[in-house]
Amino acid sequence: MDIWQQGFMVRRQLLQLVLLHTAWEMGSGQLHYSVPEESQHGTFVGRIAQDLGLEVSELVPRLFRMESEDHGNHFEVNVQNGILFVNSRIDRETLCAKSSVCTIHLEMIVDKPLRIFHAEVEIKDINDNAPIFTVNQLNLFVSESTAYGSRFSLESASDADIGKNALIAYRINPNEYFVLDTQNKHDKTMSPELVLKKTLDREDISLHHLLLTATDGGQPELTGTVQLVITVLDVNDNRPLFNHSVYEVSLPESSANGTLVVTLEATDLDEGINKDIFYGFKPPLPSNVHKTFAIDQNTGEVRLKGKLDFEEVNLYEIQIQAIDKGHAPMEGNCKLLVEVLDVNDNRPEMSLKSLSVPVPEDSPPGTVVALISISDRDAGANGQVSCSVWPPRLPFKLQSTFKNYYSLVVAEPLDREQEAEYKLVVTAQDHGAPSLSTTSSLVVPIGDVNDNAPAFAQPSYTVFVKENNPPGAHIFTVSASDPDVGENALVSYWLDEKLWPLSSSISVHSESGKLYALQPLDYEELKLLEFQVRAKDAGLPSLCGNVTVQIFVVDENDNVPAVTVPGEEAATLLVVPMTAGHVVGKIRALDADSGYNAWLRYELHEGTSGPWHVGLYSGEISTTRALDEAESSNSHSLLVLVKDHGQPALSATATLSISLVASAQAIQADAHLPGMGGSPKPLVDNINIYLIVAICSVSSLFLLAIILYVALRCHCQPKEAVMYGPGTATLVCASEVGSWSYSQRHSRILGGLAGESSAKNDLMVFTPNIPVFAETGEVGNMKELVQDSSGQVSLQSSF
């Protein structure tokens, strides 16, 4: 090949590339290449990566792959340079038989993101097949009475190539009796005929040998030959003739066996036996014709004996012959064309090309989930397919992408917590009558995204814990739930210590949510702990939820009553003789506990004797009978037992020494005894009624306070985590005559809130009309505890 030819080939390839690029830019969406058949392995076809607008470096990362629908792996793409090349030998005749255009459809698929491209490679025919005859020798019988110019049809040669490579020209070796002529038949093929140019004389030459040569139009040209043996016969000089040279029939592919295709009729001008005709298929007979059709040799009826299939053969071309029964049989020929009409007998076929699951729940609308290929072997409307998905109300939809390709895409926002998996049924239905359909099930799981924070069952928890708990005691368990899955639902717990370091008092187990008291709680020091527990999942990024926990410390009877006057030491009372029921003094005692644990009662010790009585709840010491001056020389020792109502009850004792003196002496001496009184006070009857009313009132007030507190906590927003110290005032019944004891504790807020802690004040309210010996020592100078408008308790004197 010289330089000019090489340049011409280069310009031709460049022109093809330009045309391909122009077709691409016009929106065809499909590349077209061509390659000659029989090309060797590695033959260059095209720069497919460049033509598709892809960078060569993207092919491997984006998982470039190529598929061929029905023709094997004849082509391959080198992902290193993006060149499409021939991978295996291609025989156009094997692939496409006599089709005028032979193409192989290729699909190029890339992921990340998913795209699909299409290309067609046209297989160009080369002259690699010579014309052939079905037999090596063709016998002809020609009567000697055959007229000058008579024609004899000869077998046509066949060439597997197409186009000019299949254009066949015929010739015979020169002779004086016959010449060769060719005619264009109905199918535009060349059919050779032998023409008699000189009357035959059997007695001169009874047998003629000719060589028929068929030459195709390829470069270089190829030839095939058949030996013609012509036997000259006598007498029977007319051959059968058909009414039509070509019979055309159309049959639907659903026609049943035995269906009459056509009735052929041929006539012979001879008489007698030379006129009798029998019909048959002219050899060579293709195998599919022999299996599908049958002919009655006497009547010429052609009937079906096998099933028609439009998808396999849509046109039958059958050569028919009629031969008379003369001594020298003569033959007439015609062609039968049977067109098979398509019937909707093939269901659509579905193929899943790509599936990307699970689908993240935060996928935006338009995200491609699956790529589905739809095909139907039928033709026309029978092969047109539409695709749908069921059930209709799903967050997915089908979109037509290219020809019979559909993409399943996200149509609406997804939520795995509402629906973790979707079961879809894809239906492909053709447009035939009646239509046929195919269904396929598809499961689309939804991938979890950390879009839900841990949540507690309620906004706050109220816990009651007895004081004096052992260190490390389990007091409560909080639990939060997360509707996500996996790491996104793995919850851990921790305390919010922004306002106060709780690590020394309370801890929470990070996995179970169990709350532990790290040290014993003391009701007298701390009545309420309020803090927040946070729950955090293990997602990226992690999400948090919180809950407020209120721990109320429940009082236990752990404090012994404390006697303030006269205390643990003995005190001496000097009294004048008096009448029965006269109050000589009063014992004062306090209990640091609250409620029943701080409700005190007074009793005389069992070993104590004498005319003395102590008030069960008032602590007042009075006489049980009248005392006179004769008993002044006597000294009386009283042991008073002070008990609370706790379980078990705790107690303390006080010892009193009483001496009887004269009236003047008693007045002088009693002035020096603090806390004792001598003026009588009548006891109030029916003490139990007052006690019951008092206890019920306290319980009702306490229950009402709890209800109001819970209602306010539910109504208000969660507060910051705080811990409160002592502060609430506890009302306790202290005497049988209706007086009350207040355990006053000033509240303080721990963690930096306003206010300073103050000391605990335990005071006793006395009934004003009970005489009390004050510290001044003056008789009749009594002090009573009253509560001012600010809630403080003070000591006032009365005369």
Side-chain angles (χ1 to χ4, degrees):
M1 180 180 294
D2 56 20
I3 297 176
W4 184 88
Q5 290 177 331
Q6 292 180 351
F8 175 77
M9 293 299 294
V10 171
R11 290 193 296 272
R12 181 179 180 183
Q13 292 179 354
L14 289 175
L15 180 59
Q16 290 177 346
L17 289 176
V18 171
L19 292 175
L20 286 173
H21 180 72
T22 302
W24 175 267
E25 292 295 328
M26 291 177 64
S28 63
Q30 178 170 302
L31 298 178
H32 185 85
Y33 301 99
S34 64
V35 65
E37 64 172 326
E38 305 295 339
S39 296
Q40 298 297 320
H41 172 77
T43 299
F44 173 86
V45 179
R47 300 184 183 275
I48 195 163
Q50 178 180 343
D51 296 339
L52 292 176
L54 299 175
E55 294 294 335
V56 176
S57 60
E58 296 178 341
L59 299 183
V60 175
R62 293 184 64 184
L63 303 180
F64 177 90
R65 60 188 183 273
M66 184 183 73
E67 295 181 6
S68 178
E69 288 185 347
D70 301 314
H71 300 297
N73 58 344
H74 294 299
F75 298 95
E76 189 59 57
V77 175
N78 187 337
V79 295
Q80 303 301 323
N81 54 24
I83 293 178
L84 178 67
F85 62 91
V86 176
N87 188 44
S88 61
R89 175 182 173 272
I90 305 174
D91 185 4
R92 192 204 64 81
E93 287 74 26
T94 302
L95 291 177
C96 303
K98 295 291 287 184
S99 297
S100 59
V101 177
C102 182
T103 58
I104 296 179
H105 182 75
L106 303 177
E107 297 175 354
M108 279 64 67
I109 301 174
V110 291
D111 293 331
K112 303 177 182 178
L114 177 65
R115 290 189 64 187
I116 183 169
F117 304 92
H118 300 268
E120 287 185 350
V121 180
E122 181 179 359
I123 309 304
K124 295 293 187 179
D125 182 54
I126 65 173
N127 192 27
D128 59 341
N129 292 280
I132 58 173
F133 295 91
T134 59
V135 294
N136 295 326
Q137 178 176 306
L138 184 60
N139 295 315
L140 296 177
F141 300 90
V142 181
S143 175
E144 64 176 352
S145 59
T146 302
Y148 171 80
S150 297
R151 294 175 176 268
F152 305 92
S153 296
L154 302 178
E155 177 188 356
S156 301
S158 62
D159 194 324
D161 296 323
I162 62 171
K164 67 177 183 178
N165 294 329
L167 293 177
I168 301 175
Y170 299 91
R171 67 178 185 273
I172 59 174
N173 56 308
N175 65 92
E176 63 176 316
Y177 290 98
F178 298 94
V179 293
L180 193 64
D181 189 16
T182 56
Q183 298 290 331
N184 289 331
K185 297 296 184 181
H186 185 271
D187 56 352
K188 297 183 180 180
T189 59
M190 304 295 288
S191 178
E193 290 186 343
L194 199 61
V195 180
L196 185 62
K197 68 176 182 178
K198 182 179 178 180
T199 304
L200 297 175
D201 188 358
R202 187 188 63 82
E203 289 74 25
D204 185 19
I205 302 175
S206 61
L207 198 61
H208 296 266
H209 293 275
L210 301 177
L211 183 64
L212 176 62
T213 302
T215 304
D216 62 22
Q219 292 294 332
E221 63 182 18
L222 301 177
T223 62
T225 60
V226 63
Q227 188 73 31
L228 300 180
V229 178
I230 303 173
T231 301
V232 180
L233 300 177
D234 197 14
V235 181
N236 190 19
D237 55 356
N238 289 286
R239 59 175 180 171
L241 296 175
F242 286 93
N243 295 340
H244 305 282
S245 60
V246 177
Y247 290 85
E248 296 183 2
V249 179
S250 298
L251 288 176
E253 61 176 327
S254 59
S255 300
N257 291 348
T259 300
L260 177 63
V261 179
V262 68
T263 299
L264 304 174
E265 184 179 357
T267 59
D268 194 319
L269 299 177
D270 294 326
E271 293 183 355
I273 195 173
N274 295 327
K275 190 177 182 179
D276 295 337
I277 299 173
F278 64 91
Y279 301 90
F281 296 123
K282 184 175 183 179
L285 187 67
S287 60
N288 58 356
V289 174
H290 178 73
K291 294 178 181 179
T292 310
F293 300 95
I295 187 171
D296 190 312
Q297 65 176 2
N298 296 319
T299 62
E301 292 182 348
V302 179
R303 295 183 179 271
L304 286 179
K305 71 172 185 179
K307 180 175 178 56
L308 297 176
D309 191 348
F310 173 85
E311 288 70 38
E312 291 185 3
V313 181
N314 55 18
L315 180 65
Y316 290 91
E317 183 177 333
I318 308 171
Q319 296 288 338
I320 307 294
Q321 63 182 4
I323 303 175
D324 60 26
K325 299 179 181 180
H327 179 68
M330 298 191 70
E331 175 185 337
N333 299 279
C334 73
K335 182 182 293 185
L336 174 60
L337 297 177
V338 180
E339 180 185 8
V340 181
L341 303 179
D342 182 47
V343 174
N344 192 25
D345 58 348
N346 290 280
R347 294 182 179 275
E349 298 177 357
M350 283 191 289
S351 175
L352 184 63
K353 294 295 184 181
S354 178
L355 179 62
S356 300
V357 291
V359 182
E361 60 178 323
D362 60 349
S363 298
T367 301
V368 178
V369 178
L371 180 64
I372 304 172
S373 173
I374 309 295
S375 61
D376 195 315
R377 298 179 60 197
D378 293 321
N382 297 332
Q384 295 178 3
V385 182
S386 58
C387 198
S388 61
V389 63
W390 186 91
R393 293 186 178 179
L394 287 177
F396 301 98
K397 65 179 179 180
L398 283 173
Q399 290 181 345
S400 178
T401 54
F402 180 83
K403 289 187 177 178
N404 290 332
Y405 282 87
Y406 288 85
S407 295
L408 181 67
V409 299
V410 176
E412 299 175 4
L414 303 175
D415 189 354
R416 190 206 63 82
E417 287 69 42
Q418 292 186 0
E419 193 73 35
E421 183 180 84
Y422 291 91
K423 294 183 179 180
L424 295 76
V425 177
V426 181
T427 301
Q429 186 172 19
D430 60 30
H431 297 175
S435 63
L436 300 177
S437 62
T438 300
T439 60
S440 180
S441 298
L442 186 64
V443 178
V444 180
I446 306 301
D448 184 53
V449 174
N450 192 26
D451 56 351
N452 290 278
F456 291 90
Q458 56 192 62
S460 63
Y461 294 97
T462 301
V463 185
F464 295 88
V465 181
K466 289 185 178 181
E467 64 175 333
N468 302 321
N469 57 280
H474 173 221
I475 57 176
F476 192 63
T477 300
V478 295
S479 178
S481 60
D482 194 319
D484 295 323
V485 295
E487 294 291 331
N488 298 331
L490 186 61
V491 179
S492 59
Y493 303 89
W494 52 284
L495 294 178
D496 187 355
E497 300 186 13
K498 291 181 180 179
L499 297 179
W500 182 257
L502 299 173
S503 57
S504 61
S505 301
I506 302 295
S507 70
V508 61
H509 193 276
S510 62
E511 295 181 1
S512 65
K514 291 184 177 180
L515 294 173
Y516 297 94
L518 301 180
Q519 59 187 8
L521 300 176
D522 189 354
Y523 174 83
E524 287 71 38
E525 296 294 332
L526 190 67
K527 291 181 173 58
L528 174 63
L529 276 171
E530 182 174 349
F531 54 89
Q532 283 191 340
V533 178
R534 290 186 177 271
K536 178 174 68 175
D537 59 30
L540 290 176
S542 62
L543 301 177
C544 297
N546 58 65
V547 67
T548 300
V549 179
Q550 295 174 328
I551 298 179
F552 287 91
V553 182
V554 179
D555 181 52
E556 285 191 336
N557 192 26
D558 58 347
N559 289 280
V560 176
V563 180
T564 59
V565 176
E568 294 295 333
E569 300 179 355
T572 302
L573 298 177
L574 299 179
V575 298
V576 298
M578 57 191 72
T579 61
H582 183 78
V583 177
V584 299
K586 183 174 183 178
I587 295 177
R588 291 180 296 175
L590 295 177
D591 195 315
D593 295 321
S594 64
Y596 282 94
N597 297 329
W599 185 15
L600 303 180
R601 60 182 177 180
Y602 304 86
E603 300 175 0
L604 288 176
H605 194 271
E606 294 178 356
T608 302
S609 62
W612 309 105
H613 171 75
V614 62
L616 181 62
Y617 296 106
S618 65
E620 294 176 341
I621 299 173
S622 61
T623 60
T624 58
R625 59 181 174 82
L627 299 178
D628 52 21
E629 294 182 359
E631 296 178 298
S632 61
S633 60
N634 295 334
S635 177
H636 299 265
S637 179
L638 303 180
L639 181 62
V640 180
L641 189 64
V642 182
K643 293 184 180 180
D644 58 28
H645 282 73
Q647 293 293 334
L650 300 178
S651 63
T653 60
T655 303
L656 296 177
S657 180
I658 303 176
S659 297
L660 299 177
V661 296
S663 299
Q665 296 174 347
I667 294 173
Q668 258 185 341
D670 289 347
H672 301 283
L673 295 177
M676 307 299 295
S679 60
K681 174 189 173 184
L683 295 177
V684 180
D685 296 333
N686 205 0
I687 296 175
N688 291 333
I689 295 178
Y690 285 96
L691 292 177
I692 293 174
V693 172
I695 293 173
C696 292
S697 300
V698 172
S699 301
S700 300
L701 289 174
F702 179 73
L703 180 60
L704 180 60
I706 292 297
I707 293 174
L708 290 176
Y709 181 78
V710 172
L712 289 175
R713 293 297 300 175
C714 294
H715 177 70
C716 299
Q717 297 294 330
K719 307 176 192 174
E720 295 295 337
V722 295
M723 182 169 62
Y724 296 98
T728 58
T730 306
L731 187 62
V732 181
C733 183
S735 71
E736 59 186 351
V737 295
S739 60
W740 298 95
S741 171
Y742 286 86
S743 179
Q744 179 70 24
R745 293 173 175 85
H746 297 282
S747 299
R748 69 175 182 271
I749 300 177
L750 303 182
L753 297 182
E756 297 181 355
S757 63
S758 60
K760 178 175 69 174
N761 297 325
D762 292 315
L763 302 176
M764 179 67 69
V765 179
F766 297 96
T767 304
N769 58 2
I770 297 177
V772 177
F773 291 98
E775 295 178 357
T776 60
E778 297 179 1
V779 178
N781 184 13
M782 297 177 293
K783 293 183 179 179
E784 60 177 289
L785 296 176
V786 297
Q787 188 172 8
D788 59 16
S789 60
S790 63
Q792 301 294 327
V793 179
S794 61
L795 186 66
Q796 296 181 351
S797 300
S798 61
F799 297 92

